[in-house]
Amino acid sequence: MNSIHSMCIAPMMECTDRHFRYFLRLITSHAFLYTEMVTTGALLHGDSMRFLAHDPVEYPLGLQLGGSDPQEMASCAQMAAQAGFNEVNINAGCPSDRVQSGRFGACLMAEPERVADCVSSMCESSNVPVTVKTRIGIDDQDIHDALNTFVDQVSRAGCRTFIIHARKAWLKGLNPKQNRDVPPLNYARVLRLKQDFPHLEIILNGGILSMQQAIDLSAGIDGVMIGREAYSNPFILHEVDRLFYSGEKKYYLTPHEVIDQYLPYVERQLSAGVRLSSITRHLMGLFSGMPGAKAWRRHLSEQANRPNADVGVIEHAAQLVNSERLTAKTLTQSPVNGQRTAQAAWL
């Protein structure tokens, strides 16, 4: 694959904040990262720097934007460009009631003209690329006609990249969590969309749990996006650079080495007044599936909220799995089942 979007990490509320994104950059240098969704109102009328703040090490990085007013979206696109983001992604896929009341998210699939107007205004206001993340349909929409109509109209306005969650969204009757699991996945529909629009970049999202699955699904499209699995098991991404970016080989940090390199960042954030628990909550899954993972999680959970908690909490938690430290300097993720292979030797 040659696309910058060959592997993307989904925007996830209360997950993909700047602390988690910096952490992920120690595992993969090239995967495309996204912020949590930010509303136009928060940027235009709130503390914009709180939402726009990021470290250049996070690039490539996209700002996911929630809104539906073309002028407000254009103003926010300008802010994103000035802040240095590589992309602005329009949220046209979130099914929550709160998002619907703001007239954005998945309900925008019923208003392709409005989304097209937003894209057009955003493209005119700045040179930052505008992309759209959406579903294959909502409610009783025909997933063939409605999706093609949506993509056709929005692409004509200037959007060249569409991230498609391969499920319908049910705006009534299912909550956001159920909308991530209950509607059946339809990967074939996303592949067909690429065939219908070969000149567009189509990224597939939804239900990806392993690197082998990601590799298999990437055939015939331009990239894949992983969501919850990347958060609950972030080390699954450690071979992304080699597998998805021109076969590039790199030195793979072990989980303990990731922690060692992350500690200076944690110290800087603590000095700036950030609570340790705001950072350690993103680290819980680092040792997922490995001996000692439970002790690691338990210590962070019990100690990070204590007054004056510092990096020593993380160091001690890592020592609890020290007897199972990885001895291999290069780890290999098995593409068959996502588990560590014998090359990840345990002491």
Side-chain angles (χ1 to χ4, degrees):
M1 290 187 183
N2 296 315
S3 169
I4 193 174
H5 295 104
S6 292
M7 172 60 71
C8 303
I9 309 305
M12 292 175 279
M13 295 300 295
E14 300 185 357
C15 294
T16 53
D17 65 12
R18 58 195 178 95
H19 307 309
F20 182 63
R21 299 191 306 261
Y22 192 101
F23 170 63
L24 282 189
R25 273 293 170 250
L26 298 174
I27 300 174
T28 168
S29 300
H30 295 300
F32 202 104
L33 306 182
Y34 288 91
T35 68
E36 303 170 88
M37 183 190 68
V38 181
T39 65
T40 53
L43 284 183
L44 297 174
H45 308 298
D47 181 4
S48 61
M49 288 310 300
R50 171 190 167 196
F51 301 105
L52 296 174
H54 61 277
D55 192 295
V57 75
E58 298 171 33
Y59 298 142
L61 176 65
L63 173 72
Q64 192 186 58
L65 192 59
S68 60
D69 179 272
Q71 293 308 311
E72 291 181 352
M73 296 287 277
S75 296
C76 290
Q78 289 179 327
M79 296 171 70
Q82 292 168 359
F85 285 89
N86 304 106
E87 173 185 313
V88 178
N89 178 260
I90 299 176
N91 185 326
C94 181
S96 76
D97 292 339
R98 187 172 64 175
V99 166
Q100 291 180 58
S101 66
R103 203 179 178 185
F104 58 93
C107 64
L108 286 176
M109 288 205 72
E111 298 185 80
E113 300 89 351
R114 176 173 288 274
V115 180
D117 288 343
C118 288
V119 170
S120 179
S121 295
M122 295 165 74
C123 290
E124 290 176 2
S125 69
S126 74
N127 60 1
V128 63
V130 178
T131 66
V132 172
K133 186 176 188 293
T134 191
R135 297 278 186 132
I136 59 174
I138 55 173
D139 299 332
D140 293 321
Q141 278 185 339
D142 181 276
I143 63 171
H144 299 284
D145 294 340
L147 182 58
N148 275 34
T149 297
F150 180 89
V151 169
D152 181 56
Q153 293 192 31
V154 175
S155 66
R156 291 177 186 273
C159 178
R160 314 310 298 168
T161 300
F162 291 83
I163 302 168
I164 310 295
H165 187 151
R167 287 186 174 95
K168 267 193 171 186
W170 290 94
L171 303 184
K172 297 186 183 298
L174 295 180
N175 62 38
K177 183 179 184 303
Q178 291 171 322
N179 262 299
R180 292 196 298 267
D181 302 316
V182 175
L185 286 161
N186 190 337
Y187 295 136
R189 181 65 190 94
V190 182
L191 296 174
R192 173 62 185 272
L193 185 69
K194 176 60 181 179
Q195 294 171 3
D196 293 340
F197 296 92
H199 59 291
L200 299 179
E201 186 176 49
I202 304 297
I203 312 301
L204 184 149
N205 171 229
I208 300 177
L209 302 177
S210 71
M211 282 300 104
Q212 180 60 59
Q213 187 183 13
I215 292 168
D216 292 343
L217 290 172
S218 66
I221 54 174
D222 301 294
V224 293
M225 173 178 277
I226 297 182
R228 299 289 159 178
E229 188 66 17
Y231 189 79
S232 63
N233 184 14
F235 203 67
I236 195 177
L237 303 172
H238 81 279
E239 275 205 300
V240 160
D241 295 349
R242 181 181 68 83
L243 294 173
F244 288 88
Y245 292 91
S246 301
E248 177 182 329
K249 294 182 179 179
K250 60 172 287 187
Y251 173 82
Y252 301 124
L253 299 178
T254 69
H256 284 87
E257 290 169 334
V258 169
I259 291 300
D260 291 342
Q261 293 202 14
Y262 193 50
L263 290 180
Y265 172 85
V266 177
E267 290 179 323
R268 293 195 299 272
Q269 296 305 312
L270 294 179
S271 297
V274 176
R275 290 179 57 86
L276 182 66
S277 58
S278 297
I279 299 174
T280 56
R281 67 188 183 91
H282 299 307
L283 309 182
M284 296 294 181
L286 178 61
F287 294 96
S288 179
M290 304 179 193
K294 184 176 180 180
W296 159 262
R297 293 192 301 269
R298 182 173 60 246
H299 188 79
L300 293 182
S301 298
E302 293 175 351
Q303 303 298 322
N305 279 305
R306 292 180 178 270
N308 303 316
D310 59 18
V311 296
V313 171
I314 302 176
E315 291 174 319
H316 184 72
Q319 290 172 1
L320 295 176
V321 292
N322 189 58
S323 61
E324 294 92 13
R325 286 187 75 113
L326 295 172
T327 59
K329 290 301 182 182
T330 299
L331 296 176
T332 299
Q333 184 81 13
S334 169
V336 175
N337 56 21
Q339 301 300 311
R340 282 80 192 165
T341 70
Q343 284 185 269
W346 309 103
L347 281 175

